[in-house]
C-alpha cells in the first residue's frame, strides 16, 4: 500500500475510533437537557459536554412591608407660604399672611398644618421653615406622607444573594435530586428581620425596583416582616464541559438558558479543592474524564491531519495511470507540491499578492525569520491596508511553551501600522497545534511541514514539502477552521478587557474581528456592554474594511452603529474622535455608493449628526454627501 494512502487509512481509522467512542460512551446526560447540550457544543467545535444533570435546591422567601416617602411638586399656596417664611422679617403668622393675600385664614391654617405634618414647617407660630423644608423648597417639591408597598425578599443560598421582587414565588412540585444532598452549602440563610434599614435599602436598589431613589427624594423609611419565611424549590441544570482549545474542564450552573456565574465559579472552586465529587454529582469518574479528554484531543488532531492528507491525495491524481477512468467534472484551482528552496520563494510571492488579509499559523516564531526583510514586507502590506493575523504555540498551556515568542520579536510585529495608525499585525497565542499553514485573501492556502516563522528554508534543505492549494472549497475549509480559533481568542480578549475595563485590550479584540470581517460581532459586543467610548475605534476598523472591500457599504452594522448615537452625550471625552470617525466612514461610503450613504443619513440620524456636531447646522444630508463625491471628481 502506498505510504500516503496508508497514512490516510490510519487517520480515518483513528478518527472513526474516536467518533465511535464519543458516540457510544454512556455520557450521563439527562434527556431533557440534550437540546441545551447541542446548543453549547454548537458554540464552538472545541466544546464538548461530558455530563448534564438537573437538580433542585431551595430558596427562602420572606414577605415584608416597606414604607416609602417621596416628594411632590409644591402647589402655589404652599410655595408662597414657605417663601414668605424665609424672606419676611420677622416671619409672619397665618393671620398676617391671610390678610396680605385677602384669603380666609382657614385656607392658610389648613395648608400650614399640612406642611407641619410633613416636617417642612416648625410646629410653632410664627411660620418658620425647618432645615428639611428649606432643602425641599430649593428642589421645588414637598414630601408626601409615607405609603406602604409589599415586597418579597428572596434569599438564594447558591449565589449567596438577597433580592427583592413584587411577585411571590410560585409553589411547584419538583421531583429532582436535592443539590444539598451532594454539596454542603455553607452560605448562611439570613434572617431578614435582623437586617438594618440601610441594608434593606441597598438590596432594594440592587434589585432595580426603583423604590429607593435618594437622588429623586424617594426613600424607604422603614420596614417590617409580615409573614414567616417560606421554602420554595427551584430547578437548576449542571453541565460539565471540556474545552479542547484550552484543555480545560469547567462546571456550569444554569437556570434555564441563564448561566449563573457566581454559582458556577463557586462549584469550580470546590471541585478544584477536592470538596465535591463529579462521580457523585453526575456519575462522571476521573478515568472517564481523562479517557474522553484524550479521545476529543485525538479527534481534533486527526481532523486536521485528514484535511492535510486530503490535500496530499489531490497531488497524486495526475500520476494515476491513463487507463483509469478520469473524473471530468470541472475543478476550479489546483494543488501544487513545493519542496525545499521553492517554499520560501512561494511564501514571499503569496504574501506579496495579499489584498486584504493574511493568516499565518506557525508553532514557533523567532527572529531568524522575523528579520528586517520580513518586517519590511509586512509593513508594505500594512501600507496597502492588509490585516495580518499570526497564531502561534504548540503547548496546551501558554506557560508550558518551551520556545515562546520573544517580547522583542512580538513588539516589532505589533509596531507595524497602517497609514491610519491601526495595528496591522495581531499576534495571538492559540496553542495546542503543530500545524503550519498560511491563508491569503481566502484564495491561497499553503500547508505542510515548513515552519513559516521559525525556519527560513533558504539554507541546508531538510527535505520539507508544502502544498499550495487554490481549490476554493478546500481553502475555505482551512479558513473557517482558523477564523473560528481567532474569533474565540478575540472573544476571550474582549471579556478580559470588559472585566478590567481595559480599553487597550478591547481594541486588540476589535482588530482581530476587523481582520476576520466580523465587524458585526465587534459592534454587538460594544452594544451589549454599553461601552460606547470604544465606538470611535470600531469606526476606524470599519473604515479600513471599507477601503479593502472586506466590509460592504450596505452592511447592517452601520445602521446599528448609527442608532447608538442617541445614547452619546455631547460631554463625552471621545466625542471629537467619534465625529471624525463618522465623517470618514460616511465619506468612504459616499465615494463609491452615494445612494447608500444618503440612505444611512435618515431624518433620525441627521438629528443626531447635528446634535453631536458631526455635521454643521448649515449642512444638509445631500450637501454632506456631495462634499465627498465632489472631492473624488476633483482628485480624478
Amino acid at each position: 500500500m502506498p505510504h500516503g494512502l496508508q497514512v490516510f487509512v490510519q487517520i480515518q481509522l483513528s478518527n472513526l475510533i474516536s467518533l465511535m467512542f464519543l458516540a457510544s460512551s454512556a455520557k450521563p446526560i439527562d434527556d431533557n437537557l440534550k437540546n441545551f447540550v447541542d446548543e453549547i457544543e454548537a458554540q464552538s467545535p472545541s466544546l464538548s459536554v461530558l455530563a448534564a444533570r438537573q437538580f433542585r435546591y431551595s430558596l427562602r422567601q420572606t414577605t415584608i412591608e416597606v414604607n416609602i416617602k417621596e416628594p411632590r411638586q409644591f402647589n402655589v399656596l404652599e410655595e408662597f407660604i414657605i417663601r414668605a417664611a424665609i424672606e419676611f422679617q420677622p416671619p409672619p403668622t397665618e393671620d398676617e399672611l391671610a390678610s396680605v393675600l385677602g384669603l380666609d385664614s382657614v385656607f392658610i391654617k389648613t395648608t400650614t398644618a399640612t406642611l407641619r405634618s410633613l416636617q417642612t414647617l416648625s410646629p410653632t407660630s410664627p411660620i418658620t421653615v425647618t432645615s428639611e423644608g428649606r432643602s425641599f423648597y430649593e428642589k421645588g417639591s414637598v414630601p408626601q406622607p409615607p405609603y406602604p408597598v409589599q415586597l418579597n425578599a428572596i434569599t438564594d443560598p447558591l449565589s449567596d444573594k438577597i433580592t427583592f421582587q413584587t411577585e411571590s414565588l410560585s409553589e411547584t412540585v419538583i421531583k429532582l435530586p436535592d443539590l444539598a444532598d451532594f454539596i454542603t452549602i455553607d452560605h448562611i440563610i439570613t434572617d431578614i428581620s435582623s437586617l438594618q434599614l440601610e441594608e434593606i435599602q441597598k438590596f432594594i436598589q440592587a434589585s432595580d425596583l426603583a423604590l429607593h431613589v435618594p437622588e429623586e427624594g424617594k426613600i424607604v423609611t422603614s420596614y417590617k416582616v409580615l409573614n414567616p419565611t417560606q421554602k420554595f424549590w427551584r430547578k437548576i441544570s449542571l453541565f460539565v464541559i471540556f474545552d479542547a482549545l484550552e484543555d480545560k474542564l469547567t462546571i456550569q450552573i444554569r437556570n434555564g438558558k441563564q448561566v449563573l456565574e457566581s454559582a458556577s465559579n463557586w462549584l469550580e472552586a470546590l471541585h478544584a479543592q477536592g470538596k465535591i465529587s463529579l462521580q457523585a454529582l453526575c456519575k462522571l469518574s476521573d478515568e472517564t474524564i481523562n479517557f474522553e479528554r484524550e479521545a476529543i484531543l485525538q479527534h481534533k488532531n486527526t481532523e486536521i491531519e485528514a484535511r492535510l492528507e486530503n490535500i496530499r491525495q489531490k497531488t497524486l491524481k495526475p500520476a494515476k495511470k491513463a487507463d483509469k477512468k478520469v473524473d471530468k467534472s470541472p475543478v476550479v484551482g489546483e494543488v501544487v507540491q513545493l519542496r525545499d528552496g521553492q517554499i520560501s520563494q512561494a511564501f514571499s510571492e503569496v504574501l506579496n499578492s495579499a489584498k486584504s488579509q493574511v493568516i499565518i499559523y506557525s508553532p514557533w516564531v523567532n527572529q531568524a525569520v522575523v528579520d528586517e526583510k520580513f518586517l519590511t514586507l509586512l509593513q508594505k502590506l500594512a501600507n496597502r491596508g492588509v490585516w495580518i493575523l499570526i497564531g502561534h504555540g504548540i503547548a496546551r498551556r501558554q506557560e508550558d511553551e518551551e520556545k515562546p515568542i520573544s517580547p522583542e520579536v512580538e513588539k516589532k510585529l505589533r509596531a507595524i501600522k497602517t497609514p491610519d495608525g491601526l495595528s496591522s499585525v495581531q499576534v495571538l497565542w492559540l496553542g495546542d497545534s503543530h500545524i503550519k499553514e498560511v491563508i491569503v485573501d481566502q484564495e491561497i492556502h499553503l500547508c505542510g511541514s515548513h515552519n513559516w516563522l521559525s525556519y527560513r528554508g533558504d539554507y541546508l534543505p531538510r527535505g520539507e514539502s508544502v502544498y499550495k492549494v487554490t481549490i476554493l472549497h478546500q481553502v475555505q475549509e482551512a479558513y473557517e477552521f482558523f477564523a473560528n480559533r481567532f474569533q474565540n481568542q478575540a472573544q476571550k480578549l474582549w471579556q478580559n478587557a470588559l472585566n478590567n475595563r481595559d480599553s487597550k485590550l478591547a481594541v486588540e479584540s476589535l482588530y482581530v474581528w476587523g481582520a476576520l470581517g466580523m465587524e458585526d460581532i465587534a459592534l454587538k459586543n460594544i452594544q451589549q456592554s454599553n461601552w460606547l467610548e470604544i465606538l470611535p475605534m470600531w469606526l476606524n476598523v470599519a473604515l479600513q474594511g471599507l477601503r479593502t472591500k472586506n466590509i460592504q457599504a450596505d452592511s447592517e452594522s452601520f445602521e446599528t452603529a448609527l442608532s447608538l448615537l442617541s445614547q452619546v452625550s455631547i460631554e463625552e471625552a471621545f466625542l471629537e474622535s467619534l465625529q471624525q470617525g463618522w465623517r470618514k466612514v460616511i465619506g468612504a461610503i459616499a465615494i463609491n455608493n452615494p445612494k447608500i450613504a444618503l440612505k444611512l443619513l435618515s431624518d433620525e440620524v441627521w438629528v443626531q449628526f447635528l446634535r453631536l456636531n458631526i455635521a454643521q447646522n448649515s449642512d444638509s444630508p445631500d450637501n454632506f454627501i456631495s462634499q465627498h463625491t465632489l472631492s473624488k471628481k476633483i482628485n480624478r
Side-chain angles (χ1 to χ4, degrees):
M1 183 183 293
H3 174 70
L5 182 57
Q6 184 178 6
V7 172
F8 182 73
V9 170
Q10 289 173 345
I11 289 170
Q12 296 307 314
L13 283 173
S14 176
N15 199 4
L16 181 60
I17 291 169
S18 296
L19 286 172
M20 286 174 63
F21 173 80
L22 293 173
S24 63
S25 58
K27 290 185 179 180
I29 294 175
D30 288 357
D31 289 341
N32 52 355
L33 292 179
K34 287 181 178 178
N35 288 338
F36 286 111
V37 170
D38 291 341
E39 289 179 11
I40 293 171
E41 294 183 339
Q43 293 173 12
S44 169
S46 67
L47 298 180
S48 298
V49 177
L50 304 186
R53 190 179 182 190
Q54 288 189 309
F55 295 89
R56 66 171 184 163
Y57 79 106
S58 60
L59 304 173
R60 301 294 190 275
Q61 175 178 286
T62 306
T63 303
I64 70 170
E65 182 180 273
V66 297
N67 286 311
I68 300 171
K69 181 175 70 174
E70 64 178 317
R72 61 169 172 79
Q73 295 297 309
F74 285 116
N75 63 38
V76 175
L77 185 55
E78 289 171 336
E79 185 175 6
F80 181 82
I81 291 172
I82 293 178
R83 182 176 178 184
I86 293 174
E87 296 182 357
F88 286 12
Q89 292 297 329
T93 65
E94 283 94 337
D95 291 333
E96 288 171 341
L97 273 184
S99 176
V100 170
L101 294 173
L103 296 173
D104 191 317
S105 62
V106 172
F107 292 109
I108 301 298
K109 290 178 180 179
T110 301
T111 303
T112 55
T114 299
L115 292 174
R116 286 190 175 102
S117 70
L118 299 174
Q119 289 80 47
T120 304
L121 298 180
S122 63
T124 59
S125 187
I127 302 171
T128 305
V129 181
T130 64
S131 59
E132 187 177 8
R134 285 179 180 272
S135 174
F136 281 113
Y137 178 72
E138 291 172 0
K139 297 175 182 177
S141 61
V142 64
Q144 299 184 86
Y147 60 91
V149 172
Q150 188 169 303
L151 295 175
N152 295 293
I154 312 299
T155 304
D156 186 338
L158 198 57
S159 63
D160 197 22
K161 289 183 179 179
I162 298 175
T163 57
F164 282 85
Q165 61 188 49
T166 55
E167 306 84 7
S168 174
L169 295 174
S170 57
E171 292 190 44
T172 56
V173 178
I174 300 176
K175 295 181 179 180
L176 287 172
D178 185 353
L179 186 64
D181 292 339
F182 301 88
I183 300 173
T184 302
I185 301 176
D186 294 327
H187 301 153
I188 298 172
I189 303 297
T190 303
D191 179 4
I192 299 298
S193 63
S194 68
L195 295 176
Q196 298 294 319
L197 177 61
E198 292 77 11
E199 294 176 290
I200 293 289
Q201 291 171 339
K202 289 179 180 178
F203 286 134
I204 290 174
Q205 281 183 304
S207 300
D208 294 327
L209 290 179
L211 295 177
H212 182 73
V213 190
E215 58 270 21
E216 296 178 5
K218 190 173 184 179
I219 298 171
V220 172
T221 59
S222 64
Y223 83 97
K224 64 180 180 180
V225 173
L226 297 180
N227 300 318
T229 299
Q230 297 174 280
K231 179 189 288 189
F232 291 85
W233 292 100
R234 173 176 287 177
K235 184 189 301 182
I236 57 167
S237 305
L238 181 147
F239 298 87
V240 181
I241 304 169
F242 178 70
D243 187 337
L245 287 181
E246 294 285 328
D247 192 11
K248 180 182 178 183
L249 198 71
T250 59
I251 300 174
Q252 195 177 89
I253 296 290
R254 292 190 176 201
N255 175 20
K257 290 191 175 184
Q258 180 189 7
V259 178
L260 306 180
E261 295 290 351
S262 60
S264 300
N265 294 337
W266 174 62
L267 279 184
E268 282 199 355
L270 291 179
H271 182 247
Q273 296 164 14
K275 294 182 178 180
I276 60 173
S277 165
L278 293 182
Q279 172 69 49
L281 265 177
C282 46
K283 299 180 176 62
L284 191 63
S285 67
D286 290 341
E287 292 77 10
T288 302
I289 292 172
N290 291 332
F291 206 95
E292 293 273 11
R293 171 183 169 276
E294 291 302 324
I296 291 166
L297 294 175
Q298 177 67 18
H299 174 57
K300 184 185 73 169
N301 288 329
T302 52
E303 276 186 324
I304 297 169
E305 291 297 334
R307 176 163 54 82
L308 296 179
E309 184 59 29
N310 186 35
I311 291 171
R312 294 186 191 105
Q313 293 301 313
K314 293 286 184 182
T315 65
L316 300 178
K317 283 188 175 181
K320 290 184 177 180
K321 295 181 180 180
D323 59 350
K324 295 279 187 180
K325 184 176 180 181
V326 179
D327 183 3
K328 294 183 179 180
S329 59
V331 176
V332 179
E334 60 181 356
V335 177
V336 177
Q337 188 176 30
L338 307 171
R339 292 190 179 278
D340 290 326
Q342 298 173 312
I343 297 174
S344 61
Q345 181 181 351
F347 183 42
S348 178
E349 290 174 354
V350 167
L351 291 184
N352 271 303
S353 71
K355 298 182 287 293
S356 63
Q357 181 196 71
V358 170
I359 291 177
I360 302 174
Y361 194 93
S362 180
W364 304 284
V365 182
N366 62 39
Q367 58 189 8
V369 175
V370 185
D371 54 12
E372 289 305 316
K373 181 180 178 181
F374 184 71
L375 293 170
T376 300
L377 170 57
L378 296 189
Q379 184 60 63
K380 179 181 174 182
L381 297 180
N383 294 341
R384 299 205 300 259
V386 176
W387 289 109
I388 302 155
L389 293 175
I390 295 177
H392 65 95
I394 193 169
R396 287 178 177 169
R397 296 189 306 171
Q398 190 169 5
E399 56 268 31
D400 293 336
E401 290 288 351
E402 294 181 1
K403 295 186 288 184
I405 183 173
S406 74
E408 181 184 358
V409 169
E410 186 169 354
K411 183 179 180 180
K412 287 180 179 180
L413 287 168
R414 291 184 179 276
I416 296 172
K417 308 287 186 183
T418 68
D420 290 331
L422 305 185
S423 293
S424 180
V425 180
Q426 302 307 308
V427 184
L428 300 175
W429 181 87
L430 301 181
D432 194 21
S433 182
H434 63 277
I435 56 177
K436 302 100 177 176
E437 303 189 41
V438 178
I439 304 172
V440 172
D441 294 334
Q442 300 182 47
E443 296 174 354
I444 305 173
H445 177 208
L446 298 177
C447 58
S449 60
H450 184 78
N451 290 297
W452 301 106
L453 300 182
S454 61
Y455 176 63
R456 282 169 45 182
D458 56 356
Y459 59 94
L460 192 61
R462 303 192 297 192
E464 294 186 333
S465 65
V466 161
Y467 298 93
K468 179 181 178 182
V469 184
T470 53
I471 299 173
L472 188 58
H473 76 272
Q474 291 193 339
V475 177
Q476 193 61 30
E477 181 183 342
Y479 174 77
E480 289 174 0
F481 172 80
F482 282 105
N484 181 66
R485 294 203 68 188
F486 279 105
Q487 142 65 4
N488 287 341
Q489 194 65 20
Q491 195 65 55
K492 291 173 184 175
L493 284 175
W494 176 265
Q495 195 57 51
N496 287 338
L498 192 61
N499 293 340
N500 299 295
R501 219 61 184 175
D502 186 338
S503 57
K504 183 179 178 182
L505 199 59
V507 169
E508 285 186 32
S509 60
L510 292 193
Y511 286 151
V512 178
W513 280 318
L516 296 170
M518 295 179 177
E519 76 288 346
D520 54 335
I521 294 178
L523 185 61
K524 182 179 179 181
N525 277 281
I526 292 173
Q527 189 176 13
Q528 289 178 341
S529 308
N530 195 32
W531 202 351
L532 298 183
E533 68 182 85
I534 305 297
L535 199 53
M537 186 52 67
W538 180 86
L539 290 171
N540 291 337
V541 171
L543 180 63
Q544 178 160 324
L546 285 169
R547 289 172 175 167
T548 59
K549 296 183 171 53
N550 214 22
I551 301 175
Q552 298 303 310
D554 59 357
S555 168
E556 292 181 3
S557 294
F558 292 118
E559 290 185 15
T560 302
L562 287 167
S563 72
L564 299 178
L565 290 178
S566 61
Q567 302 176 33
V568 177
S569 165
I570 59 173
E571 305 298 328
E572 299 288 3
F574 60 85
L575 183 60
E576 184 177 350
S577 56
L578 184 71
Q579 293 167 341
Q580 294 174 355
W582 272 119
R583 289 169 190 151
K584 290 178 181 178
V585 166
I586 294 297
I589 294 173
I591 287 175
N592 296 307
N593 302 278
K595 290 183 179 179
I596 292 178
L598 192 59
K599 183 180 178 182
L600 287 172
L601 298 181
S602 63
D603 291 343
E604 294 82 1
V605 170
W606 189 247
V607 168
Q608 299 304 326
F609 263 46
L610 296 178
R611 181 180 70 85
L612 297 173
N613 295 321
I614 298 172
Q616 302 300 314
N617 287 326
S618 57
D619 276 340
S620 68
D622 287 305
N623 289 337
F624 191 80
I625 298 298
S626 65
Q627 294 172 18
H628 300 283
T629 54
L630 181 62
S631 65
K632 178 183 178 182
K633 293 178 181 178
I634 293 173
N635 291 333
R636 284 178 177 174

